[in-house]
Amino acid sequence: MASVTFLLLTLAVLNSAGSSQSFVKIHCKTQNFGQYEQQSRLDCVIHYSKEVEDPEIVVVTWSREGVEELLLKYNQGKLRSLLEYSFAEPSWNNKNVNVSLLIHKTAVKDEGDYTCYVFTDSGFNINQTRLNVTAKYGVPTIQPQPQDIDLSTDGSLTCKSTGYPKGRLSWFDKDNKPRLDQPEVKVLKTENGLFILSSTLKIQGGSAFSQYTCKVFNARGDEEAEKSFTVQNKPSAEGHGQDSNMILIVAPVLVVGSLILLVLLLYKIGSQRDHQVVIHMEEGDDQETEGDVQESLTTGKYNSNI
Ligand SMILES: *[C@@H]1O[C@H](CO)[C@@H](O)[C@H](O)[C@H]1NC(C)=O
Ligand SMILES: *[C@@H]1O[C@H](CO)[C@@H](O)[C@H](O)[C@H]1NC(C)=O
Ligand SMILES: *[C@@H]1O[C@H](CO)[C@@H](O)[C@H](O)[C@H]1NC(C)=O
């Protein structure tokens, strides 16, 4: 007896639920797109069937898969929401069928499936919608290794760009031809969930190309940005060559020149010694130190003369 009552009750509940659901529908955009750090809107609108007259919304909730707390809850006049969320309609009221959710500053973690539940005086319903987030990849940076890379030495260029979702990097030659030796693209994640793509192109010394372009493509395969780098055609190496040529010419000149100077200097010292001896003779011994120096010089002179 009890089980029959229970069955009847269950049927009644299911029936009433079924009929009330048919009066109220929530039409949600199945796929929404949001830009990183911009506002995103999850579009859902209530549709009432013709029989419903002057309906009023009693409860609206927005929840997200994987998040326990309700993002937004309207319950009989009271609206509560987490800081980052609100109704998209600025002055929403319980007659407004547009129950779209606004995310104020979209983060990568906001990507996912959302559920909107509506309970009205004419029935209730539930529907789901999804948000995908994109962050446009920025102009790549190219970091040479070594810093002063030139065409005569081995080295590498590392290209980096950050965005979401996962895209790819590709290297091109001067004439915009994709390189055959595309290096592996490494992927790192920032704490905000963005992807840092990184690709290191090895450059062999004596390479014929001087300009390299790194392009970044988004997840759909569209080019988003590019950066070119020109490897200098060994200007420093040529500079060194000129320097050594100069040394080759200058060195003998210096040697010969200094020899001449040395001879002149020796000659001059010799004649000065004669002078000083003369001065010493004339001035006498005014100062002891001077006398000492001059004495030794005088001795020197005698020695050299011997
Ligand atoms: C959910 O939304 C989709 C898209 O608007 C719609 O086709 C579907 O009927 C809705 N489901 C319910 C139960 O309202
Ligand atoms: C819902 O409201 C938002 C904000 O006013 C608006 O941008 C959007 O177009 C509305 N959606 C529909 C389906 O009317
Ligand atoms: C949305 O994101 C999911 C997970 O990243 C992905 O599998 C799906 O293809 C995306 N949808 C669109 C339309 O880009």
Side-chain angles (χ1 to χ4, degrees):
M1 198 54 194
S3 61
V4 171
T5 318
F6 177 74
L7 187 72
L8 282 172
L9 258 171
T10 310
L11 277 174
V13 166
L14 277 176
N15 191 42
S16 81
S19 63
S20 62
Q21 269 189 40
S22 66
F23 289 124
V24 179
K25 281 201 129 201
I26 310 169
H27 285 214
C28 290
K29 217 176 180 177
T30 43
Q31 176 73 62
N32 302 272
F33 289 96
Q35 281 288 326
Y36 182 69
E37 294 198 321
Q38 307 284 307
Q39 286 189 346
S40 298
R41 202 177 67 236
L42 303 177
D43 269 318
C44 288
V45 178
I46 301 168
H47 284 232
Y48 297 108
S49 58
K50 286 186 207 79
E51 305 93 307
V52 177
E53 270 175 42
D54 198 24
E56 280 194 1
I57 299 163
V58 182
V59 176
V60 179
T61 67
W62 271 100
S63 59
R64 218 201 105 185
E65 208 172 272
V67 178
E68 236 168 83
E69 241 174 316
L70 288 175
L71 310 178
L72 180 146
K73 181 182 182 183
Y74 169 83
N75 187 5
Q76 301 171 72
K78 272 189 240 140
L79 179 62
R80 296 186 69 177
S81 68
L82 298 183
L83 213 61
E84 307 94 309
Y85 309 89
S86 64
F87 276 124
E89 287 277 71
S91 45
W92 186 88
N93 62 55
N94 68 344
K95 303 269 189 187
N96 195 332
V97 292
N98 185 343
V99 291
S100 303
L101 182 75
L102 192 71
I103 301 173
H104 298 155
K105 196 177 171 193
T106 308
V108 172
K109 66 170 172 53
D110 291 327
E111 184 166 278
D113 296 315
Y114 292 75
T115 302
C116 179
Y117 167 82
V118 170
F119 183 90
T120 74
D121 57 6
S122 310
F124 67 93
N125 215 324
I126 195 162
N127 212 338
Q128 286 200 322
T129 185
R130 180 174 172 82
L131 178 72
N132 274 38
V133 176
T134 56
K136 197 172 154 50
Y137 279 89
V139 175
T141 57
I142 295 182
Q143 179 66 44
Q145 178 67 40
Q147 203 72 39
D148 57 346
I149 190 168
D150 68 60
L151 282 180
S152 67
T153 52
D154 288 353
S156 66
L157 300 177
T158 297
C159 174
K160 280 186 186 172
S161 183
T162 302
Y164 188 88
K166 214 173 281 180
R168 68 182 172 87
L169 298 173
S170 209
W171 287 94
F172 291 78
D173 283 333
K174 200 177 177 180
D175 46 0
N176 216 20
K177 267 198 220 138
R179 289 186 63 91
L180 295 174
D181 57 335
Q182 291 294 338
E184 175 200 1
V185 177
K186 293 197 181 92
V187 184
L188 286 171
K189 236 180 182 183
T190 70
E191 56 185 33
N192 293 330
L194 300 174
F195 292 115
I196 306 168
L197 309 179
S198 164
S199 169
T200 300
L201 183 71
K202 289 209 162 54
I203 293 175
Q204 306 251 300
S207 170
F209 299 105
S210 62
Q211 191 177 307
Y212 299 86
T213 301
C214 175
K215 296 186 184 180
V216 60
F217 297 84
N218 64 23
R220 278 169 314 187
D222 304 325
E223 185 185 331
E224 290 218 319
E226 65 175 64
K227 178 82 178 176
S228 292
F229 188 92
T230 304
V231 176
Q232 295 305 310
N233 192 9
K234 42 184 173 179
S236 49
E238 272 171 14
H240 283 314
Q242 274 175 0
D243 282 356
S244 51
N245 281 347
M246 282 293 281
I247 287 163
L248 281 179
I249 298 162
V250 166
V253 170
L254 277 177
V255 170
V256 172
S258 41
L259 273 174
I260 292 168
L261 271 174
L262 201 70
V263 169
L264 282 173
L265 220 83
L266 283 173
Y267 177 77
K268 212 158 175 212
I269 286 172
S271 60
Q272 259 179 5
R273 277 168 187 168
D274 288 342
H275 260 299
Q276 276 161 347
V277 174
V278 172
I279 288 162
H280 177 60
M281 302 292 209
E282 283 174 354
E283 286 183 354
D285 38 17
D286 289 352
Q287 277 186 325
E288 271 187 18
T289 45
E290 219 174 81
D292 286 342
V293 173
Q294 279 159 353
E295 231 169 53
S296 68
L297 275 170
T298 315
T299 340
K301 190 212 160 191
Y302 287 137
N303 285 343
S304 67
N305 269 1
I306 292 161

